[in-house]
Amino acid sequence: MAVLSTPRSAVQLASKGTPVREHLFRTLLIASLVVAFIFMVALLSYVFVEGWPRLDSRLWENMPSIRNPDIAGAQSAITGTLWVISLTGLFTLPTGIAAAIYLEEYADKTRWYNRVIELNIQNLAGIPSIVYGILGLGIIARTLGLGFSVITASLTLGLLVLPIVIIASREALRAVPPSIREGSLALGATQWQTISRQVLPASIPGIATGSILALSRAIGEAAPLLMLGAVSFIRFNPDGIFASYTVLPIQIFNWISQSREGFHVLAAAAIVVLLVILLLMNSVAIWLRNRYQKRW
Amino acid sequence: MPNVTVRGPEAPRTIESLDPVFTVKNLSVFYGDYEAVRGVDMLIGNREITAMIGPSGCGKSTVLRCFNRMNDLIPGARPAGTIQYHGEDLYGDHVDPIEVRRRIGMVFQKPNPFPKSIYDNIAYGPKVNGVKGKMDDIVEEALTKAALWDEVKGKLKQNALSLSGGQQQRLCIARAIAVKPEVILMDEPCSALDPIATTKIEDLMQELAHDYTIVIVTHNMQQAARVSHRTAFFTAEVDDAGVRHGRLVEFDETSRIFTNPSDKRTEDYITGRFG
Ligand SMILES: Nc1ncnc2c1ncn2[C@@H]1O[C@H](COP(=O)(O)OP(=O)(O)O)[C@@H](O)[C@H]1O
Ligand SMILES: [Mg+2]
């Protein structure tokens, strides 16, 4: 009877072995990760290998063409994308962050209108992007008379990703401990001083991450821009916010719809360019996050 | 007989001749419909240390946070009755709570330095209050007064969160001092600290009482006995309707409270028979 002679505490502390369920759960989690990873690697390598023959200076030096894939490039789409995404950021980041500050720091949550606003922002985040295209066409392009221009595209994409910016910024603001606000207010700082000098700087990493995520979504959007004039064949760079434009996702879409193989290679190469722009944006977010990293 | 030794300072004057900084009359504080504290009357003497003791949940923090109007920040919190600051109604229509908080500083239970450098922590208060003058001198003076200068003078640019808990709390005291307040409120400032850090803060409080009026909430009776001139003992009582309210039981010189309390409940509490 070895068990009986063992001291009681030792018996209680002895390992009972990891239950099968634990193992199963772990395996499941790792498996999901592997699936996601394999898909990503497959996608990237496919695009890269496919587009490799055309990944040269012709891509950003030449204008699009549908006659000859050998001399066609994506310059107007690249500059168009840069124009549209910069303007989208310029419009949506200040608006979204300001809205988040209002909702987190000022809004009295017992008021019905603040609750309505909150509920609506959650809902807006779930609306299909084509609906924003219709909105942009009806209100921004026609009623406001901004036409099929860079500014129309930017405002529409800005509205599309605004809920993401607001939700991410609110999370970041909420992560700043209330004791920081109290400490500042107790020194005779005003609420705005407290927000602008303590809360906002402390939440920059979170806000930056969320903002880049939102802009990354905007940069890849094609659907709403299909309704806003980006489809037209553009052989010049935008020279201002009211200029006609095209963007990379649309240009890629156009080339893929062509029957000749040469254009498919070109599309793959353009996808790589789009990915590089995305990667650069993400590096900015990571740099900001590390630079302003806080610990409590 | 009470088992607490009183080594603390004698109250310098009698309550009648006190030149009160705060005069609290029939103060009740509500959170929404709930009356958390009912009918408090007390005086806070100039350049004295006043301790507020009592079991937890009896409204000590609630009363303390009225003195610098921090309760304004809690939705639904509302005082009734009067608190006068040098004879002026602290909650009067013309009173700016920002200005109140500049004159009446506060130190919290958990040290809450800003995630910035030691220097910036101190400089923040004077900056937001538009104080002119050489910031280096202001920082040095505040840190010296808070007995922290010698420990941090070589690393002012270092993040304040790298300091120990006790140092962080003294930094928070220095931060409060830097805006030149008249009163410093402390809500259980030592409850997150070890005994050695606690002793340092207590010594500091005694030192600061020469220049500042201090109100300290503590759940440590020995601490109240050691440092304070006067003590207010709070407890929670259930009224006829079955609702709990914080009540001020007794307010007197600390030596009296701990050696010869006039209320049975005070005696029970300090002898450890209750609470
Ligand atoms: N923000 C608040 N909202 C509602 N009730 C509160 C709030 N803060 C404190 N109370 C209540 O007020 C009473 C007194 O609390 P408090 O002043 O924190 O007591 P103490 O500091 O003596 O422990 C308690 O019953 C507590 O639940
Ligand atoms: Mg308390």
Side-chain angles (χ1 to χ4, degrees):
Chain A
M1 304 297 274
V3 175
L4 284 180
S5 65
T6 321
R8 241 188 95 203
S9 60
V11 171
Q12 283 173 339
L13 290 175
S15 161
K16 298 191 191 77
T18 319
V20 180
R21 264 179 305 145
E22 294 275 323
H23 276 306
L24 210 66
F25 191 57
R26 250 183 85 109
T27 316
L28 218 69
L29 290 180
I30 293 171
S32 330
L33 198 69
V34 168
V35 169
F37 189 72
I38 287 177
F39 259 98
M40 197 189 72
V41 170
L43 211 77
L44 284 180
S45 35
Y46 173 78
V47 170
F48 203 77
V49 169
E50 174 87 5
W52 180 248
R54 279 305 313 270
L55 266 177
D56 54 46
S57 61
R58 278 176 295 170
L59 200 58
W60 51 87
E61 278 171 2
N62 295 1
M63 289 294 173
S65 151
I66 43 168
R67 272 183 235 119
N68 184 356
D70 289 331
I71 59 159
Q75 193 185 74
S76 59
I78 293 172
T79 53
T81 284
L82 293 177
W83 267 94
V84 167
I85 212 62
S86 318
L87 219 59
T88 301
L90 219 60
F91 162 66
T92 204
L93 298 186
T95 316
I97 295 168
I101 291 175
Y102 170 75
L103 288 171
E104 269 316 300
E105 310 284 330
Y106 288 97
D108 178 351
K109 284 174 186 100
T110 60
R111 303 270 173 209
W112 66 269
Y113 47 82
N114 286 323
R115 287 207 304 271
V116 168
I117 292 176
E118 227 178 302
L119 196 71
N120 269 302
I121 289 170
Q122 308 281 345
N123 288 338
L124 282 177
I127 291 181
S129 58
I130 190 76
V131 177
Y132 283 91
I134 297 170
L135 182 88
L137 181 68
I139 295 179
I140 302 171
R142 300 237 171 100
T143 308
L144 293 181
L146 293 173
F148 287 167
S149 59
V150 170
I151 181 92
T152 300
S154 302
L155 289 175
T156 307
L157 289 181
L159 286 177
L160 172 69
V161 298
L162 192 58
I164 307 178
V165 177
I166 296 176
I167 291 168
S169 303
R170 288 187 68 184
E171 291 294 336
L173 291 170
R174 218 173 301 153
V176 179
S179 64
I180 295 298
R181 292 176 181 81
E182 283 196 323
S184 170
L185 292 166
L187 290 168
T190 63
Q191 192 171 6
W192 174 241
Q193 285 171 331
T194 300
I195 291 166
S196 62
R197 302 190 193 196
Q198 299 290 352
V199 179
L200 214 48
S203 54
I204 279 181
I207 292 178
T209 312
S211 300
I212 296 291
L213 221 64
L215 290 182
S216 304
R217 158 124 197 246
I219 210 172
E221 274 294 340
L225 301 185
L226 284 173
M227 314 194 65
L228 296 172
V231 259
S232 47
F233 191 71
I234 303 283
R235 287 188 52 90
F236 50 84
N237 297 322
D239 57 358
I241 60 173
F242 298 111
S244 309
Y245 68 100
T246 188
V247 289
L248 277 167
I250 303 272
Q251 191 62 60
I252 291 162
F253 172 76
N254 276 343
W255 278 330
I256 286 178
S257 337
Q258 302 291 321
S259 54
R260 270 181 288 168
E261 171 63 23
F263 283 113
H264 299 171
V265 175
L266 203 53
I271 290 173
V272 173
V273 173
L274 188 62
L275 288 175
V276 167
I277 296 177
L278 267 172
L279 220 66
L280 286 176
M281 281 166 56
N282 277 308
S283 336
V284 172
I286 291 169
W287 176 77
L288 274 172
R289 203 163 52 207
N290 291 341
R291 179 139 190 235
Y292 289 93
Q293 196 64 273
K294 299 282 191 285
R295 57 182 186 80
W296 315 99
Chain B
M1 221 39 254
N3 59 2
V4 178
T5 49
V6 181
R7 292 188 277 105
E10 287 289 306
R13 285 151 295 183
T14 61
I15 196 91
E16 288 78 20
S17 67
L18 204 64
D19 162 29
V21 176
F22 291 105
T23 309
V24 181
K25 284 186 201 141
N26 195 23
L27 174 73
S28 301
V29 188
F30 295 83
Y31 290 111
D33 294 331
Y34 172 57
E35 190 175 5
V37 189
R38 174 178 282 182
V40 172
D41 291 280
M42 63 191 284
L43 300 169
I44 305 293
N46 193 8
R47 297 189 191 185
E48 284 189 354
I49 300 179
T50 305
M52 302 191 349
I53 60 170
S56 94
C58 64
K60 307 178 297 288
S61 300
T62 299
V63 171
L64 190 77
R65 291 166 66 91
C66 287
F67 288 138
N68 67 342
R69 295 191 55 168
M70 281 303 272
N71 273 347
D72 290 21
L73 306 169
I74 301 172
R78 172 174 61 85
T82 56
I83 303 181
Q84 290 176 344
Y85 175 63
H86 293 296
E88 190 181 353
D89 184 3
L90 197 63
Y91 282 83
D93 290 335
H94 56 285
V95 174
D96 178 8
I98 306 291
E99 189 57 27
V100 168
R101 293 184 204 124
R102 206 189 72 73
R103 304 229 195 135
I104 302 160
M106 190 167 216
V107 176
F108 298 84
Q109 182 166 355
K110 195 168 162 284
N112 60 344
F114 304 128
K116 297 171 181 284
S117 71
I118 293 168
Y119 185 98
D120 288 344
N121 262 274
I122 308 292
Y124 178 71
K127 267 188 201 151
V128 296
N129 285 295
V131 171
K132 307 264 184 307
K134 214 156 164 294
M135 197 53 80
D136 291 355
D137 298 341
I138 295 173
V139 170
E140 178 172 349
E141 188 190 333
L143 285 170
T144 308
K145 276 193 175 165
L148 193 58
W149 176 249
D150 289 332
E151 287 160 64
V152 302
K153 64 185 170 199
K155 48 179 182 183
L156 293 174
K157 292 282 161 233
Q158 205 165 309
N159 194 309
L161 293 163
S162 64
L163 298 173
S164 73
Q167 288 173 323
Q168 286 187 13
Q169 196 62 302
R170 276 180 284 143
L171 182 73
C172 291
I173 294 174
R175 187 172 76 181
I177 290 172
V179 295
K180 304 206 184 312
E182 184 193 353
V183 184
I184 304 173
L185 309 174
M186 301 185 180
D187 194 349
E188 304 195 15
C190 303
S191 64
L193 306 182
D194 63 64
I196 293 173
T198 299
T199 308
K200 281 191 181 155
I201 302 258
E202 286 180 7
D203 292 346
L204 176 58
M205 278 192 272
Q206 306 260 350
E207 194 56 45
L208 292 174
H210 296 127
D211 298 319
Y212 303 91
T213 300
I214 295 176
V215 185
I216 175 181
V217 168
T218 174
H219 60 216
N220 178 337
M221 278 183 290
Q222 277 85 349
Q223 183 168 65
R226 279 192 297 264
V227 302
S228 71
H229 301 99
R230 289 175 211 281
T231 297
F233 171 61
F234 287 77
T235 189
E237 277 177 4
V238 180
D239 69 6
D240 297 339
V243 184
R244 282 186 59 189
H245 306 287
R247 303 297 304 261
L248 174 63
V249 174
E250 194 169 350
F251 174 58
D252 212 328
E253 290 179 18
T254 299
S255 52
R256 184 89 53 81
I257 291 273
F258 281 94
T259 55
N260 189 18
S262 55
D263 196 292
K264 179 78 168 59
R265 288 167 296 178
T266 315
E267 186 176 333
D268 286 352
Y269 184 72
I270 60 175
T271 53
R273 250 177 277 150
F274 154 73

